[in-house]
Amino acid sequence: MACIPIIGCTQESAGYRGSQTSANAPVGNQNPILADDEEDSEGEDDIDADKPKGSKDPKPEPKPTSTPVPTYCGGLGIVGGTPTNMNDMVAKSTVRLIIGQGMCTGTIIGPNQISTAAHCLEESPAINTMQIQFGIMPATSPDVKVKGYSVHPDYKGLAIGQNGYPNVRLFDVAVIAFDGKIPQGFGIAPVGSTANLQAGTEVTLAGYGAYSDDDMQDRPLTQVKKAVALFDRNFKEIQLQVGGQQGGCFGDSGGPSYILSENGMCLKTLSTTTGPGRSGDGSCTQGSGTLMDITAHQGWMSCAYEKLGTPLPYLLKDESKDACDRTTVVQ
């Protein structure tokens, strides 16, 4: 079985963005996704329900400062290890990021906001070298332009130690702001909650990356369900179960992990993808993954978006906001 592309896997952080690409056709000319009826997600925080008995949290989770951003719902059709369906919410909220001659994956978490991985932007690319592409066979929209980005100030790189990981918290989180409106038929998957996340929980990952270690072709958006092996709240990262030949490859870095609401109608974003699992061998075919829990970085993300001139009020003002004073933006 071919490696299902989800997360970047390489020993060197500079190579996570994967193969070169030149797919720059307008989004309206390549398999446009038809919009489902838009539903307001206000009050629909089903995955943020009370924690299971016996669980402990030293600090209560803060409340959102305003109504959550409306979300496109329905037509999920999640099937592990398959290309996304045109009516799938995964396809509506996952984007490909062209960064110079490389690429990453990102998630639409607000009307002008995208989440991705810090290592995708660690070379400080110029804004005019970046593009946001939409769709299963990704293409640009003439109405959407990158406005700026910010990399978490505590991100220090990945290529240290076993499988490229230092034995410290990685902070592999970045945010991108854009000008213009999300194209018709695409939507938002707001940041959710990991309050009930535990080993065995299934999440849905998505990405545009390669199918094998030596694959150099442009690939469509693909998704897969993977079970959580470990949720490390101290490291603020999620480790996926190894095996099944369903894991990550070049170009999938920065892409989302999604979780369904209890009623199965909406997706929320839990993390951005970083690389192969800490317990894996770093190859595309093994099947594993390390994911950054962005739900624990909402205070910092909120600050970064404000500095970029695109505030996202629904983000929680958690303790990660302490990094705000050290945060810089590129515009």
Side-chain angles (χ1 to χ4, degrees):
M1 180 184 296
C3 170
I4 303 303
I6 300 299
I7 52 176
C9 42
T10 179
Q11 297 291 334
E12 298 179 359
S13 60
Y16 275 46
R17 288 191 293 274
S19 60
Q20 297 183 1
T21 180
S22 60
N24 297 319
V27 68
N29 295 339
Q30 294 190 17
N31 73 296
I33 295 178
L34 300 177
D36 294 327
D37 292 335
E38 184 175 2
E39 300 179 12
D40 195 329
S41 62
E42 181 176 359
E44 204 168 322
D45 275 334
D46 297 305
I47 67 168
D48 300 338
D50 292 338
K51 298 178 182 178
K53 292 181 179 179
S55 63
K56 295 181 179 180
D57 191 342
K59 294 182 180 180
E61 194 169 311
K63 299 296 183 181
T65 57
S66 68
T67 303
V69 177
T71 307
Y72 287 91
C73 301
L76 295 174
I78 295 173
V79 179
T82 63
T84 52
N85 183 282
M86 287 194 301
N87 292 321
D88 196 323
M89 180 57 201
V90 170
K92 295 177 181 180
S93 55
T94 309
V95 296
R96 185 165 79 165
L97 304 173
I98 302 301
I99 304 172
Q101 297 300 309
M103 59 159 284
C104 271
T105 302
T107 314
I108 305 171
I109 62 170
N112 293 98
Q113 294 85 7
I114 289 171
S115 62
T116 191
H119 73 259
C120 294
L121 299 164
E122 65 183 341
E123 296 178 2
S124 301
I127 300 302
N128 61 7
T129 69
M130 299 173 60
Q131 299 177 37
I132 301 169
Q133 297 185 333
F134 301 83
I136 296 172
M137 298 300 296
T140 57
S141 168
D143 299 324
V144 174
K145 303 293 183 184
V146 175
K147 178 177 182 177
Y149 63 86
S150 182
V151 172
H152 197 289
D154 292 321
Y155 172 72
K156 304 301 181 185
L158 302 178
I160 305 172
Q162 184 179 8
N163 287 347
Y165 290 123
N167 192 29
V168 295
R169 193 176 294 171
L170 297 177
F171 296 98
D172 189 18
V173 182
V175 297
I176 296 174
F178 62 89
D179 288 320
K181 293 183 178 180
I182 299 171
Q184 183 177 1
F186 297 85
I188 298 163
V191 176
S193 169
T194 54
N196 294 328
L197 193 68
Q198 58 188 328
T201 301
E202 280 194 330
V203 296
T204 298
L205 286 79
Y208 292 94
Y211 286 7
S212 63
D213 291 295
D214 57 356
D215 182 11
M216 299 298 291
Q217 298 186 43
D218 284 344
R219 294 298 184 178
L221 178 62
T222 308
Q223 62 176 305
V224 67
K225 275 189 175 182
K226 290 284 290 186
V228 171
L230 173 68
F231 177 31
D232 191 324
R233 295 180 185 273
N234 180 44
F235 271 32
K236 294 181 170 57
E237 68 182 33
I238 301 165
Q239 293 292 322
L240 298 178
Q241 290 184 1
V242 177
Q245 293 185 314
Q246 294 177 323
C249 214
F250 310 106
D252 298 306
S253 291
S257 75
Y258 295 116
I259 195 166
L260 284 171
S261 57
E262 275 189 9
N263 62 14
M265 292 300 294
C266 296
L267 292 183
K268 293 197 174 180
T269 307
L270 297 184
S271 68
T272 60
T273 58
T274 287
R278 289 180 181 267
S279 61
D281 63 7
S283 70
C284 288
T285 55
Q286 182 163 15
S288 61
T290 297
L291 317 177
M292 294 293 100
D293 174 16
I294 65 171
T295 74
H297 293 286
Q298 293 184 68
W300 171 77
M301 295 168 70
S302 177
C303 166
Y305 283 129
E306 287 176 4
K307 290 190 174 187
L308 287 164
T310 54
L312 192 55
Y314 82 83
L315 292 174
L316 306 182
K317 303 302 189 290
D318 57 27
E319 62 183 10
S320 69
K321 71 181 185 302
D322 294 344
C324 185
D325 291 342
R326 297 178 285 113
T327 297
T328 60
V329 300
V330 177
Q331 289 182 297

